[in-house]
Amino acid sequence: MDQIIIKTGDITEENVCAIVNAANSSLMGGGGVDGAIHRAGGTQILEACRKIRKEQYPDGLPTGEAVATPAGNLPAKFVIHTVGPVYHLCGDNCALLLASCYTNALKIAIEVGCKDIAFPAISTGIYGYPKVEAAHIAYETVKDLLKERDDMKVSFVFHNNEDKEIFLKTIQEKR
Ligand code: ADP
């Protein structure tokens, strides 16, 4: 499907309308891709996150939900923050919650007028989601959503080649 791009790289360098942050519910930054995005994007992102916490989500952004902020110094226009499930805590809801991250992030991207969006491998780092299962969920969810949106482009950006290969191998028979 030529609406889907699968690549290795640093998502903070993606020149797309929106990049997705695998945030935690505090929205105050953290490790992994979250830390990289806040470091590269600067304080504008954190300020916008603080405002969202105060005005919309005083108890934190729930797992599976997504919100958009400006992208500060990044080439992207927006950062869409979503909270992936922590694998050892999500029980029977893991797959649904992970799929919601992709669905809600894409929905927000469309709402803010974006036609391209780049995703990291949500939950597969510190949050411990098995990479093969996460790949199935990410790919199937995005592929289904794109059937209704032939004007959208989605990139899956992996931090290293090994993760990209796992993803490609997992989805191969379905492409
Ligand atoms: P989570 O807490 O949701 O597991 P992590 O940031 O720990 O989030 O990891 C999610 C994925 O993002 C991991 O596969 C990790 O290798 C990847 N990652 C980390 N930094 C970057 C980056 N700068 N660009 C793209 N992917 C990244």
mmCIF file of all heavy atoms in Angstrom, residues 64-109:
data_model
loop_
_atom_site.group_PDB
_atom_site.id
_atom_site.type_symbol
_atom_site.label_atom_id
_atom_site.label_comp_id
_atom_site.label_asym_id
_atom_site.label_seq_id
_atom_site.Cartn_x
_atom_site.Cartn_y
_atom_site.Cartn_z
ATOM 1 N N GLY A 64 -4.593 5.346 25.620
ATOM 2 C CA GLY A 64 -5.360 5.183 24.389
ATOM 3 C C GLY A 64 -5.879 6.484 23.803
ATOM 4 O O GLY A 64 -6.309 6.523 22.658
ATOM 5 N N GLU A 65 -5.838 7.564 24.590
ATOM 6 C CA GLU A 65 -6.306 8.864 24.092
ATOM 7 C C GLU A 65 -5.158 9.620 23.436
ATOM 8 O O GLU A 65 -3.985 9.253 23.612
ATOM 9 C CB GLU A 65 -6.866 9.699 25.242
ATOM 10 C CG GLU A 65 -8.045 9.070 25.958
ATOM 11 C CD GLU A 65 -9.300 9.048 25.109
ATOM 12 O OE1 GLU A 65 -9.487 9.979 24.314
ATOM 13 O OE2 GLU A 65 -10.070 8.080 25.226
ATOM 14 N N ALA A 66 -5.496 10.715 22.729
ATOM 15 C CA ALA A 66 -4.469 11.507 22.050
ATOM 16 C C ALA A 66 -4.831 12.989 22.067
ATOM 17 O O ALA A 66 -6.015 13.339 22.049
ATOM 18 C CB ALA A 66 -4.317 11.025 20.607
ATOM 19 N N VAL A 67 -3.806 13.826 22.134
ATOM 20 C CA VAL A 67 -3.986 15.288 22.045
ATOM 21 C C VAL A 67 -2.865 15.874 21.182
ATOM 22 O O VAL A 67 -1.775 15.297 21.107
ATOM 23 C CB VAL A 67 -3.937 15.982 23.436
ATOM 24 C CG1 VAL A 67 -5.144 15.638 24.286
ATOM 25 C CG2 VAL A 67 -2.638 15.664 24.179
ATOM 26 N N ALA A 68 -3.152 17.019 20.574
ATOM 27 C CA ALA A 68 -2.154 17.668 19.712
ATOM 28 C C ALA A 68 -1.593 18.915 20.374
ATOM 29 O O ALA A 68 -2.306 19.641 21.072
ATOM 30 C CB ALA A 68 -2.787 18.045 18.377
ATOM 31 N N THR A 69 -0.294 19.138 20.169
ATOM 32 C CA THR A 69 0.335 20.412 20.550
ATOM 33 C C THR A 69 1.148 20.893 19.347
ATOM 34 O O THR A 69 1.434 20.117 18.435
ATOM 35 C CB THR A 69 1.308 20.262 21.747
ATOM 36 O OG1 THR A 69 2.446 19.480 21.326
ATOM 37 C CG2 THR A 69 0.650 19.636 22.956
ATOM 38 N N PRO A 70 1.571 22.174 19.372
ATOM 39 C CA PRO A 70 2.544 22.598 18.364
ATOM 40 C C PRO A 70 3.826 21.778 18.524
ATOM 41 O O PRO A 70 4.037 21.157 19.566
ATOM 42 C CB PRO A 70 2.797 24.068 18.720
ATOM 43 C CG PRO A 70 1.672 24.487 19.601
ATOM 44 C CD PRO A 70 1.206 23.256 20.307
ATOM 45 N N ALA A 71 4.677 21.834 17.515
ATOM 46 C CA ALA A 71 5.885 21.006 17.532
ATOM 47 C C ALA A 71 7.151 21.811 17.815
ATOM 48 O O ALA A 71 8.261 21.300 17.653
ATOM 49 C CB ALA A 71 6.013 20.238 16.222
ATOM 50 N N GLY A 72 7.004 23.067 18.240
ATOM 51 C CA GLY A 72 8.172 23.857 18.625
ATOM 52 C C GLY A 72 9.200 23.922 17.509
ATOM 53 O O GLY A 72 8.886 24.269 16.369
ATOM 54 N N ASN A 73 10.426 23.536 17.828
ATOM 55 C CA ASN A 73 11.536 23.641 16.869
ATOM 56 C C ASN A 73 11.641 22.472 15.897
ATOM 57 O O ASN A 73 12.590 22.415 15.112
ATOM 58 C CB ASN A 73 12.865 23.729 17.628
ATOM 59 C CG ASN A 73 12.864 24.879 18.615
ATOM 60 O OD1 ASN A 73 12.269 25.924 18.358
ATOM 61 N ND2 ASN A 73 13.508 24.686 19.760
ATOM 62 N N LEU A 74 10.716 21.548 15.954
ATOM 63 C CA LEU A 74 10.800 20.382 15.058
ATOM 64 C C LEU A 74 10.328 20.743 13.650
ATOM 65 O O LEU A 74 9.552 21.686 13.482
ATOM 66 C CB LEU A 74 9.921 19.244 15.600
ATOM 67 C CG LEU A 74 10.230 18.735 17.002
ATOM 68 C CD1 LEU A 74 9.226 17.662 17.404
ATOM 69 C CD2 LEU A 74 11.648 18.187 17.063
ATOM 70 N N PRO A 75 10.750 19.974 12.649
ATOM 71 C CA PRO A 75 10.240 20.226 11.294
ATOM 72 C C PRO A 75 8.733 19.982 11.168
ATOM 73 O O PRO A 75 8.073 20.594 10.333
ATOM 74 C CB PRO A 75 11.024 19.245 10.410
ATOM 75 C CG PRO A 75 11.977 18.523 11.280
ATOM 76 C CD PRO A 75 11.789 18.942 12.692
ATOM 77 N N ALA A 76 8.195 19.096 11.987
ATOM 78 C CA ALA A 76 6.745 18.835 11.956
ATOM 79 C C ALA A 76 5.995 20.072 12.457
ATOM 80 O O ALA A 76 6.566 20.931 13.138
ATOM 81 C CB ALA A 76 6.420 17.628 12.828
ATOM 82 N N LYS A 77 4.685 20.139 12.141
ATOM 83 C CA LYS A 77 3.873 21.253 12.661
ATOM 84 C C LYS A 77 3.253 20.909 14.006
ATOM 85 O O LYS A 77 3.058 21.764 14.847
ATOM 86 C CB LYS A 77 2.748 21.576 11.664
ATOM 87 C CG LYS A 77 3.168 22.565 10.604
ATOM 88 C CD LYS A 77 2.144 22.675 9.500
ATOM 89 C CE LYS A 77 0.904 23.442 9.921
ATOM 90 N NZ LYS A 77 -0.066 23.515 8.810
ATOM 91 N N PHE A 78 2.907 19.640 14.159
ATOM 92 C CA PHE A 78 2.238 19.210 15.383
ATOM 93 C C PHE A 78 2.911 17.979 15.974
ATOM 94 O O PHE A 78 3.447 17.140 15.239
ATOM 95 C CB PHE A 78 0.777 18.810 15.096
ATOM 96 C CG PHE A 78 -0.050 19.932 14.539
ATOM 97 C CD1 PHE A 78 -0.233 20.064 13.167
ATOM 98 C CD2 PHE A 78 -0.640 20.865 15.374
ATOM 99 C CE1 PHE A 78 -0.991 21.098 12.639
ATOM 100 C CE2 PHE A 78 -1.401 21.903 14.860
ATOM 101 C CZ PHE A 78 -1.581 22.022 13.488
ATOM 102 N N VAL A 79 2.833 17.897 17.309
ATOM 103 C CA VAL A 79 3.137 16.632 17.974
ATOM 104 C C VAL A 79 1.805 16.118 18.518
ATOM 105 O O VAL A 79 1.070 16.864 19.184
ATOM 106 C CB VAL A 79 4.137 16.803 19.135
ATOM 107 C CG1 VAL A 79 4.329 15.466 19.860
ATOM 108 C CG2 VAL A 79 5.474 17.314 18.618
ATOM 109 N N ILE A 80 1.486 14.888 18.192
ATOM 110 C CA ILE A 80 0.271 14.281 18.738
ATOM 111 C C ILE A 80 0.714 13.300 19.817
ATOM 112 O O ILE A 80 1.418 12.323 19.537
ATOM 113 C CB ILE A 80 -0.549 13.607 17.626
ATOM 114 C CG1 ILE A 80 -0.963 14.697 16.628
ATOM 115 C CG2 ILE A 80 -1.768 12.900 18.226
ATOM 116 C CD1 ILE A 80 -1.730 14.210 15.439
ATOM 117 N N HIS A 81 0.349 13.624 21.037
ATOM 118 C CA HIS A 81 0.774 12.831 22.187
ATOM 119 C C HIS A 81 -0.276 11.773 22.462
ATOM 120 O O HIS A 81 -1.461 12.090 22.582
ATOM 121 C CB HIS A 81 0.924 13.723 23.425
ATOM 122 C CG HIS A 81 1.792 14.925 23.188
ATOM 123 N ND1 HIS A 81 3.124 14.970 23.568
ATOM 124 C CD2 HIS A 81 1.531 16.113 22.574
ATOM 125 C CE1 HIS A 81 3.625 16.150 23.213
ATOM 126 N NE2 HIS A 81 2.688 16.862 22.618
ATOM 127 N N THR A 82 0.159 10.552 22.563
ATOM 128 C CA THR A 82 -0.775 9.490 22.926
ATOM 129 C C THR A 82 -0.113 8.617 23.986
ATOM 130 O O THR A 82 1.119 8.542 24.048
ATOM 131 C CB THR A 82 -1.203 8.669 21.686
ATOM 132 O OG1 THR A 82 -2.243 7.760 22.062
ATOM 133 C CG2 THR A 82 -0.048 7.888 21.072
ATOM 134 N N VAL A 83 -0.932 7.999 24.816
ATOM 135 C CA VAL A 83 -0.392 7.177 25.900
ATOM 136 C C VAL A 83 -0.669 5.712 25.590
ATOM 137 O O VAL A 83 -1.826 5.277 25.573
ATOM 138 C CB VAL A 83 -1.028 7.556 27.258
ATOM 139 C CG1 VAL A 83 -0.411 6.733 28.383
ATOM 140 C CG2 VAL A 83 -0.869 9.043 27.525
ATOM 141 N N GLY A 84 0.400 4.984 25.303
ATOM 142 C CA GLY A 84 0.254 3.561 25.026
ATOM 143 C C GLY A 84 0.045 2.783 26.321
ATOM 144 O O GLY A 84 0.341 3.270 27.413
ATOM 145 N N PRO A 85 -0.490 1.562 26.185
ATOM 146 C CA PRO A 85 -0.658 0.721 27.370
ATOM 147 C C PRO A 85 0.680 0.189 27.892
ATOM 148 O O PRO A 85 1.580 -0.107 27.109
ATOM 149 C CB PRO A 85 -1.531 -0.427 26.866
ATOM 150 C CG PRO A 85 -1.295 -0.476 25.393
ATOM 151 C CD PRO A 85 -0.965 0.917 24.954
ATOM 152 N N VAL A 86 0.780 0.092 29.216
ATOM 153 C CA VAL A 86 1.929 -0.575 29.846
ATOM 154 C C VAL A 86 1.602 -2.073 29.800
ATOM 155 O O VAL A 86 0.588 -2.499 30.355
ATOM 156 C CB VAL A 86 2.107 -0.110 31.302
ATOM 157 C CG1 VAL A 86 3.268 -0.840 31.965
ATOM 158 C CG2 VAL A 86 2.325 1.401 31.360
ATOM 159 N N TYR A 87 2.442 -2.836 29.111
ATOM 160 C CA TYR A 87 2.044 -4.204 28.777
ATOM 161 C C TYR A 87 1.707 -5.071 29.993
ATOM 162 O O TYR A 87 0.737 -5.817 29.971
ATOM 163 C CB TYR A 87 3.122 -4.876 27.926
ATOM 164 C CG TYR A 87 2.616 -6.176 27.337
ATOM 165 C CD1 TYR A 87 1.618 -6.176 26.371
ATOM 166 C CD2 TYR A 87 3.118 -7.399 27.774
ATOM 167 C CE1 TYR A 87 1.135 -7.350 25.837
ATOM 168 C CE2 TYR A 87 2.635 -8.577 27.237
ATOM 169 C CZ TYR A 87 1.648 -8.546 26.267
ATOM 170 O OH TYR A 87 1.163 -9.714 25.748
ATOM 171 N N HIS A 88 2.463 -4.949 31.054
ATOM 172 C CA HIS A 88 2.174 -5.838 32.183
ATOM 173 C C HIS A 88 0.997 -5.360 33.037
ATOM 174 O O HIS A 88 0.606 -6.021 33.982
ATOM 175 C CB HIS A 88 3.433 -6.084 33.037
ATOM 176 C CG HIS A 88 3.780 -4.944 33.945
ATOM 177 N ND1 HIS A 88 4.511 -3.866 33.511
ATOM 178 C CD2 HIS A 88 3.508 -4.709 35.241
ATOM 179 C CE1 HIS A 88 4.657 -3.021 34.512
ATOM 180 N NE2 HIS A 88 4.061 -3.503 35.572
ATOM 181 N N LEU A 89 0.402 -4.240 32.653
ATOM 182 C CA LEU A 89 -0.744 -3.719 33.418
ATOM 183 C C LEU A 89 -2.060 -3.751 32.640
ATOM 184 O O LEU A 89 -3.123 -3.547 33.217
ATOM 185 C CB LEU A 89 -0.483 -2.264 33.852
ATOM 186 C CG LEU A 89 0.699 -2.010 34.786
ATOM 187 C CD1 LEU A 89 0.857 -0.501 35.036
ATOM 188 C CD2 LEU A 89 0.494 -2.734 36.109
ATOM 189 N N CYS A 90 -2.012 -4.005 31.331
ATOM 190 C CA CYS A 90 -3.231 -3.777 30.534
ATOM 191 C C CYS A 90 -4.121 -5.006 30.382
ATOM 192 O O CYS A 90 -5.242 -4.915 29.850
ATOM 193 C CB CYS A 90 -2.896 -3.153 29.182
ATOM 194 S SG CYS A 90 -1.618 -3.990 28.225
ATOM 195 N N GLY A 91 -3.666 -6.149 30.828
ATOM 196 C CA GLY A 91 -4.517 -7.351 30.861
ATOM 197 C C GLY A 91 -5.192 -7.651 29.538
ATOM 198 O O GLY A 91 -4.547 -7.695 28.495
ATOM 199 N N ASP A 92 -6.517 -7.851 29.573
ATOM 200 C CA ASP A 92 -7.268 -8.205 28.363
ATOM 201 C C ASP A 92 -7.442 -7.034 27.408
ATOM 202 O O ASP A 92 -7.902 -7.217 26.283
ATOM 203 C CB ASP A 92 -8.670 -8.701 28.749
ATOM 204 C CG ASP A 92 -8.609 -10.021 29.484
ATOM 205 O OD1 ASP A 92 -7.558 -10.702 29.408
ATOM 206 O OD2 ASP A 92 -9.607 -10.368 30.147
ATOM 207 N N ASN A 93 -7.120 -5.832 27.887
ATOM 208 C CA ASN A 93 -7.393 -4.648 27.063
ATOM 209 C C ASN A 93 -6.212 -4.174 26.241
ATOM 210 O O ASN A 93 -6.312 -3.164 25.551
ATOM 211 C CB ASN A 93 -7.829 -3.477 27.956
ATOM 212 C CG ASN A 93 -9.123 -3.779 28.668
ATOM 213 O OD1 ASN A 93 -10.007 -4.424 28.093
ATOM 214 N ND2 ASN A 93 -9.247 -3.350 29.907
ATOM 215 N N CYS A 94 -5.097 -4.890 26.326
ATOM 216 C CA CYS A 94 -3.874 -4.382 25.694
ATOM 217 C C CYS A 94 -4.065 -4.041 24.218
ATOM 218 O O CYS A 94 -3.741 -2.931 23.782
ATOM 219 C CB CYS A 94 -2.752 -5.409 25.833
ATOM 220 S SG CYS A 94 -2.163 -5.606 27.520
ATOM 221 N N ALA A 95 -4.596 -4.996 23.465
ATOM 222 C CA ALA A 95 -4.705 -4.803 22.017
ATOM 223 C C ALA A 95 -5.635 -3.646 21.686
ATOM 224 O O ALA A 95 -5.330 -2.812 20.817
ATOM 225 C CB ALA A 95 -5.187 -6.084 21.353
ATOM 226 N N LEU A 96 -6.754 -3.589 22.406
ATOM 227 C CA LEU A 96 -7.716 -2.508 22.160
ATOM 228 C C LEU A 96 -7.119 -1.141 22.461
ATOM 229 O O LEU A 96 -7.304 -0.182 21.703
ATOM 230 C CB LEU A 96 -8.936 -2.695 23.064
ATOM 231 C CG LEU A 96 -10.156 -3.339 22.423
ATOM 232 C CD1 LEU A 96 -11.272 -3.483 23.449
ATOM 233 C CD2 LEU A 96 -10.636 -2.480 21.238
ATOM 234 N N LEU A 97 -6.403 -1.075 23.570
ATOM 235 C CA LEU A 97 -5.809 0.207 23.971
ATOM 236 C C LEU A 97 -4.727 0.638 22.989
ATOM 237 O O LEU A 97 -4.646 1.813 22.627
ATOM 238 C CB LEU A 97 -5.240 0.109 25.390
ATOM 239 C CG LEU A 97 -6.289 0.060 26.501
ATOM 240 C CD1 LEU A 97 -5.645 -0.314 27.836
ATOM 241 C CD2 LEU A 97 -7.022 1.396 26.623
ATOM 242 N N LEU A 98 -3.915 -0.314 22.553
ATOM 243 C CA LEU A 98 -2.861 0.049 21.598
ATOM 244 C C LEU A 98 -3.486 0.504 20.270
ATOM 245 O O LEU A 98 -3.070 1.501 19.681
ATOM 246 C CB LEU A 98 -1.892 -1.112 21.381
ATOM 247 C CG LEU A 98 -0.678 -0.779 20.518
ATOM 248 C CD1 LEU A 98 0.147 0.359 21.128
ATOM 249 C CD2 LEU A 98 0.202 -2.003 20.304
ATOM 250 N N ALA A 99 -4.508 -0.213 19.828
ATOM 251 C CA ALA A 99 -5.200 0.185 18.588
ATOM 252 C C ALA A 99 -5.799 1.580 18.740
ATOM 253 O O ALA A 99 -5.746 2.391 17.809
ATOM 254 C CB ALA A 99 -6.285 -0.833 18.240
ATOM 255 N N SER A 100 -6.346 1.880 19.919
ATOM 256 C CA SER A 100 -6.933 3.215 20.158
ATOM 257 C C SER A 100 -5.912 4.318 19.987
ATOM 258 O O SER A 100 -6.242 5.415 19.522
ATOM 259 C CB SER A 100 -7.475 3.340 21.581
ATOM 260 O OG SER A 100 -8.518 2.470 21.776
ATOM 261 N N CYS A 101 -4.683 4.068 20.395
ATOM 262 C CA CYS A 101 -3.637 5.081 20.225
ATOM 263 C C CYS A 101 -3.508 5.455 18.750
ATOM 264 O O CYS A 101 -3.437 6.642 18.403
ATOM 265 C CB CYS A 101 -2.289 4.548 20.701
ATOM 266 S SG CYS A 101 -2.171 4.349 22.482
ATOM 267 N N TYR A 102 -3.455 4.442 17.889
ATOM 268 C CA TYR A 102 -3.303 4.711 16.459
ATOM 269 C C TYR A 102 -4.554 5.381 15.901
ATOM 270 O O TYR A 102 -4.471 6.356 15.139
ATOM 271 C CB TYR A 102 -2.970 3.412 15.712
ATOM 272 C CG TYR A 102 -1.550 2.977 15.988
ATOM 273 C CD1 TYR A 102 -1.255 2.114 17.039
ATOM 274 C CD2 TYR A 102 -0.501 3.480 15.232
ATOM 275 C CE1 TYR A 102 0.060 1.751 17.322
ATOM 276 C CE2 TYR A 102 0.815 3.122 15.500
ATOM 277 C CZ TYR A 102 1.089 2.256 16.546
ATOM 278 O OH TYR A 102 2.387 1.913 16.822
ATOM 279 N N THR A 103 -5.722 4.883 16.293
ATOM 280 C CA THR A 103 -6.978 5.448 15.792
ATOM 281 C C THR A 103 -7.134 6.903 16.227
ATOM 282 O O THR A 103 -7.426 7.780 15.405
ATOM 283 C CB THR A 103 -8.178 4.644 16.354
ATOM 284 O OG1 THR A 103 -7.964 3.267 16.063
ATOM 285 C CG2 THR A 103 -9.493 5.092 15.755
ATOM 286 N N ASN A 104 -6.939 7.153 17.502
ATOM 287 C CA ASN A 104 -7.154 8.516 18.012
ATOM 288 C C ASN A 104 -6.101 9.489 17.496
ATOM 289 O O ASN A 104 -6.415 10.642 17.207
ATOM 290 C CB ASN A 104 -7.200 8.512 19.542
ATOM 291 C CG ASN A 104 -8.503 7.911 20.046
ATOM 292 O OD1 ASN A 104 -9.548 8.092 19.430
ATOM 293 N ND2 ASN A 104 -8.458 7.191 21.150
ATOM 294 N N ALA A 105 -4.868 9.039 17.375
ATOM 295 C CA ALA A 105 -3.827 9.927 16.852
ATOM 296 C C ALA A 105 -4.126 10.311 15.398
ATOM 297 O O ALA A 105 -4.012 11.482 15.015
ATOM 298 C CB ALA A 105 -2.455 9.273 16.959
ATOM 299 N N LEU A 106 -4.550 9.339 14.625
ATOM 300 C CA LEU A 106 -4.876 9.622 13.223
ATOM 301 C C LEU A 106 -6.084 10.558 13.127
ATOM 302 O O LEU A 106 -6.107 11.489 12.304
ATOM 303 C CB LEU A 106 -5.147 8.305 12.499
ATOM 304 C CG LEU A 106 -4.930 8.295 10.999
ATOM 305 C CD1 LEU A 106 -3.515 8.689 10.638
ATOM 306 C CD2 LEU A 106 -5.215 6.909 10.434
ATOM 307 N N LYS A 107 -7.054 10.334 13.999
ATOM 308 C CA LYS A 107 -8.250 11.182 14.028
ATOM 309 C C LYS A 107 -7.868 12.644 14.341
ATOM 310 O O LYS A 107 -8.320 13.570 13.672
ATOM 311 C CB LYS A 107 -9.190 10.642 15.117
ATOM 312 C CG LYS A 107 -10.609 11.113 14.996
ATOM 313 C CD LYS A 107 -11.499 10.357 15.986
ATOM 314 C CE LYS A 107 -11.997 11.335 17.025
ATOM 315 N NZ LYS A 107 -12.548 10.699 18.208
ATOM 316 N N ILE A 108 -7.002 12.825 15.322
ATOM 317 C CA ILE A 108 -6.571 14.181 15.689
ATOM 318 C C ILE A 108 -5.786 14.807 14.537
ATOM 319 O O ILE A 108 -5.932 15.985 14.237
ATOM 320 C CB ILE A 108 -5.690 14.161 16.961
ATOM 321 C CG1 ILE A 108 -6.443 13.544 18.132
ATOM 322 C CG2 ILE A 108 -5.136 15.547 17.285
ATOM 323 C CD1 ILE A 108 -7.083 14.497 19.078
ATOM 324 N N ALA A 109 -4.951 14.020 13.899
ATOM 325 C CA ALA A 109 -4.169 14.545 12.767
ATOM 326 C C ALA A 109 -5.114 15.085 11.700
ATOM 327 O O ALA A 109 -4.895 16.178 11.150
ATOM 328 C CB ALA A 109 -3.267 13.459 12.191
#
